[in-house]
Structures are given as C-alpha cells and as structure tokens.
Amino acid sequence: YSDHKVELGVGSNTARTFVFYNEGHTLGNPMRTIIMQQEGVEFCGYSVPHPVEAKMHLRIQTKEENATQTLIKGLRNFQRICN
C-alpha cells in the first residue's frame, strides 16, 4: 500500500531504529517477538510515540548482522506465519 512505508531512522549497521508509517501495536508487538527469536539479536523493541501520529518506531540491535537484514528476515517470518 502506498500509505504504508518504512524509513531508515538513526543508527549504525548493527543498531538502527526503523520508522513504520500508518502502523502501530498490531505490527510492533509481533515483530518484536519474532525478531527477538533470531540468533544474534541483542535487543528489539518498539514504541508508538503518540497516538495521534500514525507511526511506530522499531529498534533492532544485533551482535554482528546488519540490522536491516534482520528486519527483512523478521518481516518474511511474520508473513510466513500469517500465511
């Protein structure tokens, strides 16, 4: 959908915050759980800064793997689970 997008937020290769627009707890909570189960993930958490803002922040910190690749794996796992 054109109104749903992800933006790379601040961070480095192994620790980054991603901003999901038009998403909230419905995506944030399962993504946190799924990503935390991946090997090499040190931290994953999400927040919805304000209920009026239609965005969700997802923070991923890994030992070595690229945080963006970890996010992609998590999204694919979530899609597989939903299917």
Side-chain angles (χ1 to χ4, degrees), residues 29-70:
N29 195 32
M31 285 302 299
R32 179 190 58 78
T33 302
I34 290 167
I35 291 172
M36 280 301 299
Q37 293 174 356
Q38 293 182 35
E39 189 174 326
V41 174
E42 292 182 326
F43 174 82
C44 184
Y46 80 97
S47 66
V48 177
H50 195 278
V52 176
E53 292 183 78
K55 64 182 177 180
M56 181 264 299
H57 295 178
L58 182 72
R59 176 79 176 169
I60 300 172
Q61 184 173 332
T62 65
K63 292 178 183 174
E64 295 179 13
E65 186 174 60
N66 186 296
T68 303
Q69 292 302 318
T70 302

mmCIF file of all heavy atoms in Angstrom, residues 29-70:
data_model
loop_
_atom_site.group_PDB
_atom_site.id
_atom_site.type_symbol
_atom_site.label_atom_id
_atom_site.label_comp_id
_atom_site.label_asym_id
_atom_site.label_seq_id
_atom_site.Cartn_x
_atom_site.Cartn_y
_atom_site.Cartn_z
ATOM 1 N N ASN A 29 4.244 -5.291 18.151
ATOM 2 C CA ASN A 29 4.381 -6.348 19.152
ATOM 3 C C ASN A 29 4.789 -7.689 18.538
ATOM 4 O O ASN A 29 5.736 -8.311 19.016
ATOM 5 C CB ASN A 29 3.096 -6.477 19.972
ATOM 6 C CG ASN A 29 3.303 -7.286 21.220
ATOM 7 O OD1 ASN A 29 4.371 -7.287 21.810
ATOM 8 N ND2 ASN A 29 2.258 -7.987 21.633
ATOM 9 N N PRO A 30 4.127 -8.168 17.476
ATOM 10 C CA PRO A 30 4.592 -9.444 16.904
ATOM 11 C C PRO A 30 5.982 -9.341 16.276
ATOM 12 O O PRO A 30 6.764 -10.286 16.358
ATOM 13 C CB PRO A 30 3.532 -9.808 15.862
ATOM 14 C CG PRO A 30 2.682 -8.619 15.690
ATOM 15 C CD PRO A 30 2.875 -7.732 16.862
ATOM 16 N N MET A 31 6.315 -8.194 15.668
ATOM 17 C CA MET A 31 7.646 -8.054 15.077
ATOM 18 C C MET A 31 8.722 -8.109 16.148
ATOM 19 O O MET A 31 9.769 -8.731 15.954
ATOM 20 C CB MET A 31 7.752 -6.748 14.278
ATOM 21 C CG MET A 31 7.041 -6.790 12.948
ATOM 22 S SD MET A 31 7.626 -8.100 11.847
ATOM 23 C CE MET A 31 9.324 -7.637 11.636
ATOM 24 N N ARG A 32 8.475 -7.487 17.279
ATOM 25 C CA ARG A 32 9.430 -7.532 18.390
ATOM 26 C C ARG A 32 9.658 -8.980 18.824
ATOM 27 O O ARG A 32 10.788 -9.430 18.987
ATOM 28 C CB ARG A 32 8.916 -6.707 19.575
ATOM 29 C CG ARG A 32 9.858 -6.732 20.769
ATOM 30 C CD ARG A 32 9.208 -6.127 21.986
ATOM 31 N NE ARG A 32 7.973 -6.784 22.372
ATOM 32 C CZ ARG A 32 7.900 -7.944 23.024
ATOM 33 N NH1 ARG A 32 8.996 -8.585 23.375
ATOM 34 N NH2 ARG A 32 6.735 -8.474 23.339
ATOM 35 N N THR A 33 8.588 -9.720 18.973
ATOM 36 C CA THR A 33 8.685 -11.122 19.400
ATOM 37 C C THR A 33 9.426 -11.970 18.373
ATOM 38 O O THR A 33 10.319 -12.747 18.731
ATOM 39 C CB THR A 33 7.276 -11.697 19.644
ATOM 40 O OG1 THR A 33 6.624 -10.904 20.634
ATOM 41 C CG2 THR A 33 7.334 -13.139 20.100
ATOM 42 N N ILE A 34 9.082 -11.826 17.113
ATOM 43 C CA ILE A 34 9.695 -12.620 16.044
ATOM 44 C C ILE A 34 11.180 -12.303 15.909
ATOM 45 O O ILE A 34 12.012 -13.203 15.789
ATOM 46 C CB ILE A 34 8.945 -12.386 14.712
ATOM 47 C CG1 ILE A 34 7.553 -13.035 14.779
ATOM 48 C CG2 ILE A 34 9.739 -12.923 13.522
ATOM 49 C CD1 ILE A 34 6.616 -12.611 13.674
ATOM 50 N N ILE A 35 11.533 -11.021 15.932
ATOM 51 C CA ILE A 35 12.935 -10.633 15.759
ATOM 52 C C ILE A 35 13.779 -11.054 16.953
ATOM 53 O O ILE A 35 14.920 -11.496 16.789
ATOM 54 C CB ILE A 35 13.043 -9.127 15.462
ATOM 55 C CG1 ILE A 35 12.474 -8.853 14.057
ATOM 56 C CG2 ILE A 35 14.480 -8.632 15.576
ATOM 57 C CD1 ILE A 35 12.344 -7.407 13.695
ATOM 58 N N MET A 36 13.236 -10.979 18.149
ATOM 59 C CA MET A 36 13.993 -11.388 19.336
ATOM 60 C C MET A 36 14.346 -12.877 19.306
ATOM 61 O O MET A 36 15.299 -13.303 19.942
ATOM 62 C CB MET A 36 13.230 -11.068 20.621
ATOM 63 C CG MET A 36 13.328 -9.621 21.061
ATOM 64 S SD MET A 36 15.024 -9.061 21.370
ATOM 65 C CE MET A 36 15.540 -10.141 22.698
ATOM 66 N N GLN A 37 13.615 -13.678 18.563
ATOM 67 C CA GLN A 37 13.886 -15.107 18.465
ATOM 68 C C GLN A 37 15.028 -15.429 17.499
ATOM 69 O O GLN A 37 15.518 -16.552 17.482
ATOM 70 C CB GLN A 37 12.624 -15.853 18.034
ATOM 71 C CG GLN A 37 11.542 -15.804 19.081
ATOM 72 C CD GLN A 37 10.232 -16.416 18.604
ATOM 73 O OE1 GLN A 37 10.099 -16.822 17.463
ATOM 74 N NE2 GLN A 37 9.253 -16.457 19.491
ATOM 75 N N GLN A 38 15.449 -14.438 16.714
ATOM 76 C CA GLN A 38 16.532 -14.664 15.755
ATOM 77 C C GLN A 38 17.880 -14.700 16.477
ATOM 78 O O GLN A 38 18.112 -13.927 17.411
ATOM 79 C CB GLN A 38 16.561 -13.562 14.694
ATOM 80 C CG GLN A 38 15.368 -13.559 13.772
ATOM 81 C CD GLN A 38 15.475 -12.484 12.715
ATOM 82 O OE1 GLN A 38 16.555 -12.166 12.230
ATOM 83 N NE2 GLN A 38 14.343 -11.903 12.365
ATOM 84 N N GLU A 39 18.738 -15.579 16.003
ATOM 85 C CA GLU A 39 20.075 -15.690 16.581
ATOM 86 C C GLU A 39 20.869 -14.404 16.308
ATOM 87 O O GLU A 39 20.795 -13.833 15.228
ATOM 88 C CB GLU A 39 20.798 -16.883 15.965
ATOM 89 C CG GLU A 39 22.099 -17.216 16.638
ATOM 90 C CD GLU A 39 22.705 -18.493 16.094
ATOM 91 O OE1 GLU A 39 21.955 -19.414 15.740
ATOM 92 O OE2 GLU A 39 23.942 -18.544 16.035
ATOM 93 N N GLY A 40 21.595 -13.955 17.309
ATOM 94 C CA GLY A 40 22.444 -12.780 17.152
ATOM 95 C C GLY A 40 21.772 -11.457 17.466
ATOM 96 O O GLY A 40 22.406 -10.410 17.400
ATOM 97 N N VAL A 41 20.490 -11.491 17.814
ATOM 98 C CA VAL A 41 19.779 -10.253 18.149
ATOM 99 C C VAL A 41 19.970 -9.973 19.635
ATOM 100 O O VAL A 41 19.671 -10.811 20.484
ATOM 101 C CB VAL A 41 18.274 -10.349 17.799
ATOM 102 C CG1 VAL A 41 17.518 -9.129 18.292
ATOM 103 C CG2 VAL A 41 18.095 -10.514 16.297
ATOM 104 N N GLU A 42 20.498 -8.809 19.947
ATOM 105 C CA GLU A 42 20.701 -8.405 21.339
ATOM 106 C C GLU A 42 19.495 -7.675 21.907
ATOM 107 O O GLU A 42 19.194 -7.788 23.083
ATOM 108 C CB GLU A 42 21.929 -7.493 21.442
ATOM 109 C CG GLU A 42 23.225 -8.197 21.154
ATOM 110 C CD GLU A 42 24.421 -7.283 21.303
ATOM 111 O OE1 GLU A 42 24.312 -6.078 21.002
ATOM 112 O OE2 GLU A 42 25.475 -7.788 21.729
ATOM 113 N N PHE A 43 18.816 -6.901 21.068
ATOM 114 C CA PHE A 43 17.684 -6.106 21.538
ATOM 115 C C PHE A 43 16.737 -5.831 20.388
ATOM 116 O O PHE A 43 17.159 -5.587 19.264
ATOM 117 C CB PHE A 43 18.172 -4.766 22.110
ATOM 118 C CG PHE A 43 17.056 -3.832 22.477
ATOM 119 C CD1 PHE A 43 16.399 -3.966 23.684
ATOM 120 C CD2 PHE A 43 16.660 -2.834 21.611
ATOM 121 C CE1 PHE A 43 15.356 -3.117 24.019
ATOM 122 C CE2 PHE A 43 15.618 -1.976 21.943
ATOM 123 C CZ PHE A 43 14.970 -2.126 23.147
ATOM 124 N N CYS A 44 15.460 -5.863 20.679
ATOM 125 C CA CYS A 44 14.437 -5.402 19.744
ATOM 126 C C CYS A 44 13.282 -4.864 20.577
ATOM 127 O O CYS A 44 12.795 -5.534 21.482
ATOM 128 C CB CYS A 44 13.962 -6.528 18.829
ATOM 129 S SG CYS A 44 12.777 -5.940 17.592
ATOM 130 N N GLY A 45 12.895 -3.661 20.289
ATOM 131 C CA GLY A 45 11.778 -3.042 20.988
ATOM 132 C C GLY A 45 11.058 -2.086 20.059
ATOM 133 O O GLY A 45 11.595 -1.670 19.032
ATOM 134 N N TYR A 46 9.833 -1.759 20.414
ATOM 135 C CA TYR A 46 9.082 -0.826 19.580
ATOM 136 C C TYR A 46 8.372 0.180 20.467
ATOM 137 O O TYR A 46 8.163 -0.042 21.657
ATOM 138 C CB TYR A 46 8.082 -1.564 18.686
ATOM 139 C CG TYR A 46 6.806 -1.965 19.387
ATOM 140 C CD1 TYR A 46 5.671 -1.177 19.295
ATOM 141 C CD2 TYR A 46 6.735 -3.119 20.152
ATOM 142 C CE1 TYR A 46 4.502 -1.532 19.940
ATOM 143 C CE2 TYR A 46 5.585 -3.490 20.800
ATOM 144 C CZ TYR A 46 4.456 -2.678 20.694
ATOM 145 O OH TYR A 46 3.303 -3.021 21.343
ATOM 146 N N SER A 47 8.014 1.297 19.860
ATOM 147 C CA SER A 47 7.225 2.300 20.564
ATOM 148 C C SER A 47 6.332 3.015 19.567
ATOM 149 O O SER A 47 6.645 3.112 18.384
ATOM 150 C CB SER A 47 8.129 3.313 21.281
ATOM 151 O OG SER A 47 8.862 4.066 20.337
ATOM 152 N N VAL A 48 5.213 3.477 20.082
ATOM 153 C CA VAL A 48 4.312 4.335 19.322
ATOM 154 C C VAL A 48 4.414 5.691 20.014
ATOM 155 O O VAL A 48 3.867 5.862 21.111
ATOM 156 C CB VAL A 48 2.869 3.787 19.331
ATOM 157 C CG1 VAL A 48 1.933 4.731 18.602
ATOM 158 C CG2 VAL A 48 2.827 2.393 18.726
ATOM 159 N N PRO A 49 5.162 6.633 19.406
ATOM 160 C CA PRO A 49 5.470 7.885 20.087
ATOM 161 C C PRO A 49 4.248 8.645 20.613
ATOM 162 O O PRO A 49 4.264 9.139 21.726
ATOM 163 C CB PRO A 49 6.201 8.706 19.032
ATOM 164 C CG PRO A 49 6.703 7.725 18.047
ATOM 165 C CD PRO A 49 5.752 6.575 18.082
ATOM 166 N N HIS A 50 3.197 8.709 19.802
ATOM 167 C CA HIS A 50 1.983 9.421 20.228
ATOM 168 C C HIS A 50 0.800 8.845 19.467
ATOM 169 O O HIS A 50 0.904 8.601 18.260
ATOM 170 C CB HIS A 50 2.123 10.920 19.939
ATOM 171 C CG HIS A 50 1.101 11.737 20.644
ATOM 172 N ND1 HIS A 50 -0.171 11.898 20.167
ATOM 173 C CD2 HIS A 50 1.163 12.428 21.800
ATOM 174 C CE1 HIS A 50 -0.869 12.661 21.002
ATOM 175 N NE2 HIS A 50 -0.072 13.000 22.002
ATOM 176 N N PRO A 51 -0.326 8.630 20.133
ATOM 177 C CA PRO A 51 -1.483 8.018 19.465
ATOM 178 C C PRO A 51 -1.998 8.811 18.259
ATOM 179 O O PRO A 51 -2.572 8.242 17.343
ATOM 180 C CB PRO A 51 -2.562 7.968 20.557
ATOM 181 C CG PRO A 51 -1.862 8.169 21.837
ATOM 182 C CD PRO A 51 -0.579 8.867 21.556
ATOM 183 N N VAL A 52 -1.769 10.102 18.245
ATOM 184 C CA VAL A 52 -2.245 10.930 17.137
ATOM 185 C C VAL A 52 -1.355 10.772 15.901
ATOM 186 O O VAL A 52 -1.816 10.901 14.777
ATOM 187 C CB VAL A 52 -2.314 12.416 17.569
ATOM 188 C CG1 VAL A 52 -2.720 13.311 16.420
ATOM 189 C CG2 VAL A 52 -3.284 12.572 18.726
ATOM 190 N N GLU A 53 -0.073 10.449 16.107
ATOM 191 C CA GLU A 53 0.844 10.242 14.996
ATOM 192 C C GLU A 53 0.700 8.811 14.489
ATOM 193 O O GLU A 53 0.768 7.867 15.270
ATOM 194 C CB GLU A 53 2.282 10.471 15.427
ATOM 195 C CG GLU A 53 2.626 11.897 15.764
ATOM 196 C CD GLU A 53 4.087 12.037 16.104
ATOM 197 O OE1 GLU A 53 4.906 12.049 15.163
ATOM 198 O OE2 GLU A 53 4.395 12.098 17.308
ATOM 199 N N ALA A 54 0.547 8.663 13.205
ATOM 200 C CA ALA A 54 0.374 7.333 12.612
ATOM 201 C C ALA A 54 1.736 6.734 12.271
ATOM 202 O O ALA A 54 2.085 6.552 11.110
ATOM 203 C CB ALA A 54 -0.503 7.426 11.377
ATOM 204 N N LYS A 55 2.537 6.463 13.323
ATOM 205 C CA LYS A 55 3.827 5.829 13.076
ATOM 206 C C LYS A 55 4.269 5.023 14.281
ATOM 207 O O LYS A 55 3.816 5.254 15.401
ATOM 208 C CB LYS A 55 4.895 6.832 12.673
ATOM 209 C CG LYS A 55 5.255 7.858 13.714
ATOM 210 C CD LYS A 55 6.295 8.825 13.138
ATOM 211 C CE LYS A 55 6.643 9.909 14.121
ATOM 212 N NZ LYS A 55 7.635 10.829 13.572
ATOM 213 N N MET A 56 5.158 4.063 13.997
ATOM 214 C CA MET A 56 5.680 3.174 15.017
ATOM 215 C C MET A 56 7.188 3.085 14.812
ATOM 216 O O MET A 56 7.661 2.988 13.683
ATOM 217 C CB MET A 56 5.021 1.795 14.867
ATOM 218 C CG MET A 56 5.442 0.740 15.866
ATOM 219 S SD MET A 56 6.744 -0.376 15.290
ATOM 220 C CE MET A 56 6.024 -1.177 13.886
ATOM 221 N N HIS A 57 7.957 3.134 15.897
ATOM 222 C CA HIS A 57 9.411 3.003 15.838
ATOM 223 C C HIS A 57 9.785 1.593 16.269
ATOM 224 O O HIS A 57 9.318 1.120 17.305
ATOM 225 C CB HIS A 57 10.090 3.991 16.788
ATOM 226 C CG HIS A 57 9.880 5.415 16.400
ATOM 227 N ND1 HIS A 57 10.377 6.450 17.143
ATOM 228 C CD2 HIS A 57 9.236 5.986 15.368
ATOM 229 C CE1 HIS A 57 10.046 7.600 16.581
ATOM 230 N NE2 HIS A 57 9.351 7.326 15.510
ATOM 231 N N LEU A 58 10.632 0.938 15.494
ATOM 232 C CA LEU A 58 11.122 -0.397 15.819
ATOM 233 C C LEU A 58 12.639 -0.324 15.886
ATOM 234 O O LEU A 58 13.298 0.017 14.905
ATOM 235 C CB LEU A 58 10.691 -1.410 14.757
ATOM 236 C CG LEU A 58 11.088 -2.861 15.005
ATOM 237 C CD1 LEU A 58 10.259 -3.454 16.147
ATOM 238 C CD2 LEU A 58 10.899 -3.695 13.754
ATOM 239 N N ARG A 59 13.208 -0.635 17.046
ATOM 240 C CA ARG A 59 14.649 -0.564 17.271
ATOM 241 C C ARG A 59 15.212 -1.980 17.278
ATOM 242 O O ARG A 59 14.714 -2.850 18.004
ATOM 243 C CB ARG A 59 14.945 0.113 18.609
ATOM 244 C CG ARG A 59 16.399 0.165 18.996
ATOM 245 C CD ARG A 59 17.102 1.266 18.280
ATOM 246 N NE ARG A 59 18.484 1.372 18.744
ATOM 247 C CZ ARG A 59 19.373 2.110 18.139
ATOM 248 N NH1 ARG A 59 19.046 2.821 17.091
ATOM 249 N NH2 ARG A 59 20.601 2.165 18.593
ATOM 250 N N ILE A 60 16.261 -2.215 16.478
ATOM 251 C CA ILE A 60 16.913 -3.515 16.400
ATOM 252 C C ILE A 60 18.396 -3.322 16.663
ATOM 253 O O ILE A 60 19.028 -2.445 16.068
ATOM 254 C CB ILE A 60 16.722 -4.174 15.019
ATOM 255 C CG1 ILE A 60 15.234 -4.390 14.732
ATOM 256 C CG2 ILE A 60 17.491 -5.495 14.928
ATOM 257 C CD1 ILE A 60 14.944 -4.864 13.321
ATOM 258 N N GLN A 61 18.943 -4.161 17.551
ATOM 259 C CA GLN A 61 20.374 -4.150 17.823
ATOM 260 C C GLN A 61 20.871 -5.594 17.741
ATOM 261 O O GLN A 61 20.330 -6.474 18.401
ATOM 262 C CB GLN A 61 20.663 -3.571 19.200
ATOM 263 C CG GLN A 61 22.131 -3.451 19.515
ATOM 264 C CD GLN A 61 22.364 -2.716 20.823
ATOM 265 O OE1 GLN A 61 21.565 -1.884 21.238
ATOM 266 N NE2 GLN A 61 23.464 -3.049 21.472
ATOM 267 N N THR A 62 21.896 -5.808 16.920
ATOM 268 C CA THR A 62 22.435 -7.149 16.715
ATOM 269 C C THR A 62 23.902 -7.206 17.126
ATOM 270 O O THR A 62 24.549 -6.181 17.274
ATOM 271 C CB THR A 62 22.321 -7.571 15.235
ATOM 272 O OG1 THR A 62 23.155 -6.725 14.457
ATOM 273 C CG2 THR A 62 20.891 -7.510 14.740
ATOM 274 N N LYS A 63 24.407 -8.432 17.261
ATOM 275 C CA LYS A 63 25.823 -8.607 17.591
ATOM 276 C C LYS A 63 26.694 -8.319 16.380
ATOM 277 O O LYS A 63 27.690 -7.636 16.483
ATOM 278 C CB LYS A 63 26.079 -10.026 18.105
ATOM 279 C CG LYS A 63 25.435 -10.292 19.441
ATOM 280 C CD LYS A 63 25.678 -11.708 19.896
ATOM 281 C CE LYS A 63 24.947 -11.943 21.213
ATOM 282 N NZ LYS A 63 25.024 -13.324 21.647
ATOM 283 N N GLU A 64 26.326 -8.875 15.235
ATOM 284 C CA GLU A 64 27.149 -8.717 14.037
ATOM 285 C C GLU A 64 26.340 -8.441 12.776
ATOM 286 O O GLU A 64 26.777 -7.700 11.918
ATOM 287 C CB GLU A 64 28.002 -9.963 13.813
ATOM 288 C CG GLU A 64 29.033 -10.198 14.888
ATOM 289 C CD GLU A 64 29.835 -11.463 14.647
ATOM 290 O OE1 GLU A 64 29.764 -12.028 13.534
ATOM 291 O OE2 GLU A 64 30.541 -11.887 15.571
ATOM 292 N N GLU A 65 25.186 -9.067 12.635
ATOM 293 C CA GLU A 65 24.421 -8.969 11.396
ATOM 294 C C GLU A 65 23.869 -7.560 11.197
ATOM 295 O O GLU A 65 23.556 -6.853 12.156
ATOM 296 C CB GLU A 65 23.271 -9.975 11.401
ATOM 297 C CG GLU A 65 22.526 -10.027 10.075
ATOM 298 C CD GLU A 65 21.484 -11.123 10.029
ATOM 299 O OE1 GLU A 65 20.568 -11.104 10.860
ATOM 300 O OE2 GLU A 65 21.603 -11.993 9.151
ATOM 301 N N ASN A 66 23.715 -7.190 9.958
ATOM 302 C CA ASN A 66 23.141 -5.911 9.603
ATOM 303 C C ASN A 66 21.699 -5.833 10.112
ATOM 304 O O ASN A 66 20.904 -6.741 9.891
ATOM 305 C CB ASN A 66 23.194 -5.766 8.069
ATOM 306 C CG ASN A 66 22.749 -4.423 7.597
ATOM 307 O OD1 ASN A 66 21.600 -4.053 7.767
ATOM 308 N ND2 ASN A 66 23.662 -3.696 6.987
ATOM 309 N N ALA A 67 21.357 -4.755 10.786
ATOM 310 C CA ALA A 67 20.020 -4.596 11.371
ATOM 311 C C ALA A 67 18.934 -4.587 10.295
ATOM 312 O O ALA A 67 17.831 -5.105 10.513
ATOM 313 C CB ALA A 67 19.956 -3.318 12.200
ATOM 314 N N THR A 68 19.235 -4.040 9.138
ATOM 315 C CA THR A 68 18.245 -4.013 8.056
ATOM 316 C C THR A 68 17.956 -5.425 7.570
ATOM 317 O O THR A 68 16.795 -5.773 7.330
ATOM 318 C CB THR A 68 18.740 -3.124 6.898
ATOM 319 O OG1 THR A 68 19.006 -1.809 7.409
ATOM 320 C CG2 THR A 68 17.700 -3.027 5.797
ATOM 321 N N GLN A 69 18.984 -6.246 7.433
ATOM 322 C CA GLN A 69 18.787 -7.636 7.026
ATOM 323 C C GLN A 69 17.991 -8.408 8.082
ATOM 324 O O GLN A 69 17.157 -9.252 7.745
ATOM 325 C CB GLN A 69 20.132 -8.325 6.769
ATOM 326 C CG GLN A 69 20.866 -7.784 5.569
ATOM 327 C CD GLN A 69 20.049 -7.899 4.293
ATOM 328 O OE1 GLN A 69 19.404 -8.911 4.042
ATOM 329 N NE2 GLN A 69 20.059 -6.851 3.494
ATOM 330 N N THR A 70 18.224 -8.097 9.345
ATOM 331 C CA THR A 70 17.470 -8.717 10.436
ATOM 332 C C THR A 70 15.995 -8.335 10.342
ATOM 333 O O THR A 70 15.113 -9.178 10.531
ATOM 334 C CB THR A 70 18.059 -8.303 11.793
ATOM 335 O OG1 THR A 70 19.430 -8.700 11.832
ATOM 336 C CG2 THR A 70 17.314 -8.944 12.949
#
